[in-house]
Amino acid sequence: MTSINRRERARKRGRGAVGGFASAAILVLSSPVLAQDLQDQMPRLEAQASRTVAFDIPAQPLAQALTAFGRQSGLQVAFDPAAAAGKTSVALNGLMATEQALRALLGGTGLSYQFTSAGAVTISGAASGAGGVLLDPVQVQGYAVPAQAMIDNVPPPYAGGQVATGSQLGLLGNRDVMDTPFNQTSYTAKKAQDQQAKTVRDVLNDDPSVRSSVPDGATPGDNMYIRGFAATSFMTYGGLYGILPTYSPMAEIAERVEVLKGPSAMLTGLPPGDAIGGSINIVPKRAPDDGLTQITANYLSSGQVGGHVDVARRFGENKEFGVRFNGVFRAGQTDIQWNTDQRGLALLGLDYRGERVRLSADLGYQYQYIGGVLPFLGVANGVPLPWAPNIRNNPGGQPWNSQERKDLFGVVRGEYDITEQVTAYATLGAHDNRVGALRNAVSVIATNFAGNSTVTPNTLSQYQTYLTAEVGVRARAETGPIGHEIAFSATTLDWGSGFAVVNGAPFATNIYNTAAVTQPNIPMGVANKTSNTTLSSLALADTLTAAEKRIQLTVGARLQQVKSANFNATTGAQTDSYDQAALSPSVALVFKPWQNVSLYGNFIQGLQQGSTVASNFTNAGQVFPPYKSTQYEVGVKVDWGKLTTTMSAFQISRPSLITDVATNTQLLGGEQRNQGLEFDFFGEPIEGVRVVGGLMLLNAVLTKTTGGTTDGWIAPFAPTVQLNLGGEWDTPFVPGLTLTGRVVYTGAQYFDTTWPRRMLPDWARFDLGARYAFENPGAKGKLLVARFAVENLLDTNYWAGGTGPTSLFLGMPRTFRLSLTADF
C-alpha cells in the first residue's frame, strides 16, 4: 500500500508489461497525538479546504477522478482502490473551493473524506473518527468559472513549489504540463523570491536552454538566447506583446515566468523583436483569497540596499473584488567600479470575478538609472581573443557613463461566459518607454591583443510607444466521441519609435587599464519619429481530444499582417514602407499511453519581418514577405509523482538573406539549422529535497551560405553543451533551515564566421545559498524568512557570451545577496 501523491497522474498502468492500477493506502489517524496535531493545524486545514482552484475533471471512474483531483488541487490524496472500484464521478469544470470540488466528486459514492494535514486528504469507506464527512448524493447546480477562463485561473504549483503544473500556451489558454505538446516551463514567484531575483532574466538561471546575451548593468535589455537563437527582451504580459518594460522587467512583476521553447507564431503571433528560439510570458499577480501583507528588506554587494512591499486584499460578500500592490526600490553601488544601479517599481493589480464576468487591470511604472554603465567589449577583425579582463575594473567603461529608463504601462482585460462552455474575452494595453544615455561607446573594440581601443562617446535619446489589443473566444464542444477545444483570436499592435544620437570626440582607452577621462560635453539630441510598425493577425485553432483526453490533436493557423514605415528623423519624410502578410500553420499531438506519460510532437513556425533589398543591388526595392522559421519536435514527459522529467529532440531552420555575387542580387536562400536534445526536470523527488535544471546538447550549423563558403560551420554563439543543476535541501538537524546550490556550465562557442575561427572558452559558475524560516514574533502564525546567496562563488573572470565579435561581455563577479522577508 502506498499513498497517491498530489501530483500523481498515474493509475500507474504499466507496472509490468500490461499495467494496472497502483495500490494506494488509507492513512490511519486514530492516534491521540496525531489528533492533537490536527487540532493545531486546524487554521491551515480550513484555509486549504476553502482555497479556490480551476478544475477540469471529466466524468470518469472515481479512482481516475481522485488522481486528477490531487494533481489539480495540489493535495496529496490517499485512498483504497478497492473502495473506489466500480464507482464513477461527476464532471467538474471551473473555479471552486477544493472541499466543494471533493464533495462533488464523492457525492453518492458512500465514501467520506478527512483532511489529515494542510496538504493531504484521506478518502475512506465511512465517516469514522473526528473530522470525517460522509456524503449524500450531490447535484452540482449552475456552474463556476469555466476552465477556459484566464483571469485568476493560474495552474497550481507542482511538488516543491518552484515550477507550476501548467502554463499559458498563448492562443490555446492554460494547459497542464502533461497536456502541452511543447517543451514549456512555468517558474513561480516563490522561486523568484527564494533566489532573490532582481529581474525576470534572473528567474531563468536554472533553465539549460536559456543563456543571457548581455551582462547585468549594461545598456541593452535582458536579451537572451533560447535553443541557440537570439530572443530579444520583448516578453508577453498575460499573452500580450508590447506591455512590459522594454529592457529589464523586474522580477516582482511576475506571478509566473513561463518559457516556451521554440518558435510560436501560431500561438503568440509575430513579436516586435526576434523570438525564433523561444518566448517568455509573464503572468500578472492577483490578490489571493486570504489577503497578503509582506515586507522584504534586501542588500546586494557591495552597497545596494532596498525593499519590497507586497500588499493584497479581497473585498465583497464572496470576495469578488481584489486589489494587489507591489512597490520596490533599491539603489547603490555594485561590485563593479563606478557602476551603480537604482531601480523602482510601482504596480497595482485590480480584479473582479462575478458570476459570468471577470475583469482585471494592471497599472505600473518602472524606473531605472544605471551609472558607470558597462559597455560591450569586442575584437577587431584578425585580432585573437584577449584574456578576459577583471570585470570589477569596469573594463572600457567610464564613471560618467549613464542610462536612464522610464516605463509607464497599463492593461485592462475582460472575460464573459456566454455559456458554461464558451468564453469571450478582450484586452487593451498601452506602454510608453523613454531612454536617455551618455556613453563612452556602445562597444569598446580591442584593436590588438594588448586590449587597446579608440572609442567615440555619444548621447542617446529614444522613445518607444505601444498600443495593443486582442479579442477572442475560447470554447469547448463535443461531436460524438470527439471533444473540441476551440480558440479564435484577433490581435493588433501599433509600435512607434524615435531616437537621436549625437557623437563626441574620440579618445583612446584600454580594456586592461581603463583610466577615467573628463566627461565630454555632448548635447542630448531630440528623439524624432524614425519608424512605425503595425502587427495584426487572425488565429484559429482546435484541439481534438479522444479516449478521455489520452489523445489530443491540435491544428491551427495564424494569418499575420506586417505594415511598417521608416522616416527621416530630421525632415519627418517617409523614406520607405513595408506591407506583407504570411500564413503560419501548426500541428501538434499529445498521446498518453499511461496517465502519467505523455508522448508529444509538433510542427510550428516562427515569423520575422521581411526586408527590402537595398539600392546597391540589382534587385533593389524587392520586398520579401515575413521570414518563416520551421520547427519539428518530438518528446516524452513523465510525471513520476513528485518529479517531472521531459526529454525532447528538435530541429529549427531559420532562413536568411544571402548575396549572389555573380548577379549582384539578394535572395532568401540562407539557412541556419539548430538540432538539439534537451533533458529537463523539476520537483521534490525526496521530501525536503527540491531539484530543477537540465541539459541541452546543441548542433547549430550554417547550411546554406553565400557561395557555400561557410556551409557546415558551427553557428556563432551556439554552445554544444549547456548544463544547469539547481537544488535545495531542508536540513533535518535545524528545522526551518534550507541549503541551496546551483551549477551552470556553458560549452565553448564561436563568435564569428571568419577564418581562422575565434572562440570563447567554456565556463562554469557555482552558486551557494541558504534561507532560514522562523515564526514572526510580531505576527502570530506568520513567518520571517532570511535568505543569503553568493553567486560566482569562485569569483572567476570569464567571457560569458555576446551577439557578435564587437559585442561580447564578461560574467559577473562574485556577488552576495541578503534579504529578510516578514509576513504580517
Side-chain angles (χ1 to χ4, degrees):
M1 285 188 159
T2 59
S3 171
I4 291 214
N5 183 269
R6 56 182 177 181
R7 292 291 167 251
E8 180 64 76
R9 289 176 167 78
R11 289 171 276 175
K12 297 200 176 169
R13 301 185 174 180
R15 177 174 288 181
V18 179
F21 288 110
S23 61
I26 301 173
L27 301 178
V28 180
L29 303 169
S30 57
S31 164
V33 175
L34 187 53
Q36 179 61 47
D37 182 61
L38 289 176
Q39 185 69 26
D40 295 339
Q41 294 188 58
M42 192 58 65
R44 283 191 295 166
L45 297 179
E46 293 174 352
Q48 179 65 272
S50 62
R51 184 172 61 89
T52 55
V53 174
F55 289 99
D56 182 14
I57 303 175
Q60 58 187 305
L62 182 61
Q64 299 175 36
L66 290 173
T67 296
F69 169 81
R71 173 175 54 80
Q72 295 180 24
S73 67
L75 290 170
Q76 181 177 344
V77 181
F79 67 95
D80 184 349
K87 297 179 172 62
T88 58
S89 72
V90 298
L92 293 182
N93 191 298
L95 192 69
M96 61 186 72
T98 54
E99 186 170 22
Q100 176 191 3
L102 186 57
R103 283 175 172 269
L105 287 178
L106 298 180
T109 64
L111 300 180
S112 66
Y113 68 89
Q114 183 171 354
F115 283 91
T116 57
S117 74
V121 64
T122 297
I123 312 299
S124 55
S128 60
V133 180
L134 183 62
L135 298 163
D136 293 324
V138 173
Q139 292 290 331
V140 180
Q141 302 292 336
Y143 68 98
V145 176
Q148 67 267 18
M150 297 299 297
I151 297 177
D152 285 347
N153 199 11
V154 180
Y158 187 73
Q162 297 179 312
V163 176
T165 58
S167 307
Q168 179 177 345
L169 197 58
L171 169 70
L172 304 181
N174 286 333
R175 288 295 178 91
D176 186 277
V177 64
M178 301 299 285
D179 294 328
T180 300
F182 302 91
N183 191 340
Q184 186 177 29
T185 307
S186 178
Y187 298 101
T188 64
K190 180 182 185 302
K191 179 184 185 298
Q193 185 179 49
D194 283 342
Q195 74 177 73
Q196 303 179 75
K198 287 172 53 179
T199 68
V200 167
R201 186 180 64 180
D202 289 345
V203 184
L204 307 177
N205 281 346
D206 293 307
D207 199 303
S209 301
V210 180
R211 286 296 182 269
S212 174
S213 62
V214 296
D216 193 14
T219 53
D222 287 353
N223 296 349
M224 288 163 276
Y225 284 97
I226 304 178
R227 286 187 169 177
F229 286 111
T232 62
S233 58
F234 291 101
M235 307 173 187
T236 57
Y237 192 39
L240 206 62
Y241 280 114
I243 299 300
L244 285 173
T246 302
Y247 292 108
S248 187
M250 298 177 68
E252 290 83 0
I253 288 176
E255 181 63 36
R256 299 283 161 79
V257 178
E258 302 176 337
V259 183
L260 174 61
K261 299 167 187 176
S264 57
M266 188 275 286
L267 299 171
T268 61
L270 191 154
D274 199 354
I276 297 304
S279 55
I280 298 170
N281 178 56
I282 304 303
V283 178
K285 290 185 174 181
R286 293 284 170 257
D289 284 350
D290 298 330
L292 176 69
T293 302
Q294 188 176 89
I295 299 176
T296 299
N298 53 56
Y299 165 83
L300 282 80
S301 59
S302 62
Q304 291 189 74
V305 295
H308 172 209
V309 176
D310 190 356
V311 179
R313 296 290 186 272
R314 298 207 71 87
F315 306 94
E317 182 179 356
N318 297 306
K319 299 185 178 180
E320 300 94 335
F321 300 94
V323 179
R324 186 165 184 175
F325 174 77
N326 277 267
V328 185
F329 182 81
R330 66 175 65 97
Q333 175 71 39
T334 74
D335 281 302
I336 298 170
Q337 179 180 235
W338 306 322
N339 184 244
T340 61
D341 190 350
Q342 178 177 303
R343 301 172 188 247
L345 171 70
L347 179 61
L348 180 65
L350 308 171
D351 73 277
Y352 167 79
R353 53 194 193 199
E355 182 179 355
R356 287 180 177 267
V357 176
R358 291 167 300 283
L359 305 172
S360 71
D362 297 280
L363 310 172
Y365 176 75
Q366 180 175 300
Y367 175 85
Q368 183 178 14
Y369 179 86
I370 306 174
V373 174
L374 286 167
F376 275 118
L377 302 178
V379 289
N381 289 336
V383 176
L385 179 71
W387 295 103
N390 189 341
I391 193 174
R392 293 181 183 275
N393 296 330
N394 200 334
Q398 289 294 322
W400 39 264
N401 275 1
S402 64
Q403 186 177 89
E404 184 179 50
R405 306 166 177 170
K406 301 176 182 178
D407 290 273
L408 181 65
F409 58 98
V411 60
V412 293
R413 309 173 192 272
E415 292 181 336
Y416 177 71
D417 301 330
I418 300 172
T419 70
E420 294 183 36
Q421 304 298 323
V422 181
T423 297
Y425 63 91
T427 306
L428 177 65
H431 172 204
D432 182 90
N433 166 257
R434 306 282 162 160
V435 176
L438 171 62
R439 309 173 292 190
N440 71 317
V442 175
S443 181
V444 177
I445 302 171
T447 56
N448 54 38
F449 191 75
N452 294 321
S453 178
T454 299
V455 298
T456 302
N458 60 68
T459 59
L460 167 70
S461 176
Q462 176 182 290
Y463 79 84
Q464 297 183 80
T465 60
Y466 305 84
L467 182 62
T468 181
E470 179 180 12
V471 295
V473 176
R474 294 189 180 96
R476 298 188 174 207
E478 293 183 357
T479 55
I482 305 299
H484 298 269
E485 297 178 12
I486 303 167
F488 169 79
S489 169
T491 68
T492 182
L493 168 63
D494 186 79
W495 172 26
S497 63
F499 72 93
V501 175
V502 181
N503 291 323
F507 65 90
T509 188
N510 185 282
I511 64 174
Y512 297 110
N513 184 22
T514 303
V517 302
T518 303
Q519 177 176 331
N521 184 19
I522 307 173
M524 184 71 69
V526 178
N528 294 321
K529 183 177 182 179
T530 55
S531 68
N532 192 87
T533 301
T534 300
L535 307 174
S536 56
S537 70
L538 297 173
L540 178 66
D542 184 11
T543 299
L544 298 87
T545 64
E548 298 178 355
K549 291 192 173 183
R550 295 165 72 93
I551 301 174
Q552 303 177 33
L553 175 65
T554 299
V555 293
R558 184 179 296 268
L559 178 62
Q560 182 75 58
Q561 180 81 20
V562 182
K563 294 182 179 181
S564 66
N566 293 319
F567 302 88
N568 185 292
T570 302
T571 66
Q574 181 173 312
T575 57
D576 58 57
S577 64
Y578 181 92
D579 188 352
Q580 292 287 310
L583 181 67
S584 181
S586 179
V587 179
L589 176 68
V590 173
F591 171 62
K592 297 181 178 180
W594 302 280
Q595 200 67 17
N596 68 318
V597 177
S598 292
L599 307 178
Y600 75 89
N602 64 70
F603 158 79
I604 194 167
Q605 295 180 325
L607 294 177
Q608 296 170 274
Q609 181 177 332
S611 58
T612 303
V613 178
S615 60
N616 57 319
F617 292 96
T618 303
N619 59 334
Q622 180 179 351
V623 178
F624 292 100
Y627 305 155
K628 292 183 179 181
S629 298
T630 302
Q631 172 179 277
Y632 299 94
E633 179 182 4
V634 294
V636 56
K637 303 178 183 182
V638 182
D639 185 345
W640 303 92
K642 300 182 72 175
L643 177 73
T644 291
T645 57
T646 299
M647 292 191 67
S648 60
F650 64 86
Q651 175 180 290
I652 305 174
S653 300
R654 182 181 67 178
S656 62
L657 288 180
I658 60 175
T659 300
D660 186 332
V661 178
T663 61
N664 191 36
T665 59
Q666 280 196 322
L667 61 146
L668 190 60
E671 182 181 80
Q672 177 178 329
R673 182 182 303 156
N674 287 15
Q675 298 173 322
L677 298 174
E678 292 169 322
F679 175 68
D680 302 293
F681 56 85
F682 58 84
E684 191 175 13
I686 304 172
E687 191 69 28
V689 177
R690 291 169 291 280
V691 293
V692 60
L695 170 71
M696 183 179 74
L697 304 177
L698 185 65
N699 179 36
V701 177
L702 304 176
T703 58
K704 299 176 183 178
T705 61
T706 300
T709 55
T710 57
D711 284 2
W713 286 24
I714 296 176
F717 301 104
T720 56
V721 179
Q722 293 180 182
L723 173 70
N724 295 60
L725 299 174
E728 296 186 346
W729 176 43
D730 298 336
T731 62
F733 47 83
V734 180
L737 176 64
T738 300
L739 303 180
T740 66
R742 178 187 299 113
V743 177
V744 181
Y745 173 78
T746 300
Q749 49 191 312
Y750 293 106
F751 61 84
D752 63 5
T753 55
T754 60
W755 186 263
R757 301 206 68 182
R758 296 176 293 178
M759 176 185 289
L760 302 181
D762 62 344
W763 57 268
R765 194 187 85 201
F766 300 90
D767 306 335
L768 288 179
R771 67 176 180 269
Y772 180 59
F774 53 100
E775 186 173 352
N776 185 350
K780 185 177 180 180
K782 301 293 185 178
L783 292 177
L784 286 171
V785 181
R787 299 177 176 91
F788 171 77
V790 53
E791 296 180 354
N792 192 1
L793 178 68
L794 303 180
D795 201 22
T796 306
N797 293 324
Y798 59 95
W799 293 104
T803 59
T806 60
S807 54
L808 307 175
F809 73 96
L810 301 164
M812 300 304 289
R814 180 166 54 219
T815 304
F816 298 96
R817 303 190 183 201
L818 178 66
S819 68
L820 179 64
T821 300
D823 281 285
F824 297 95

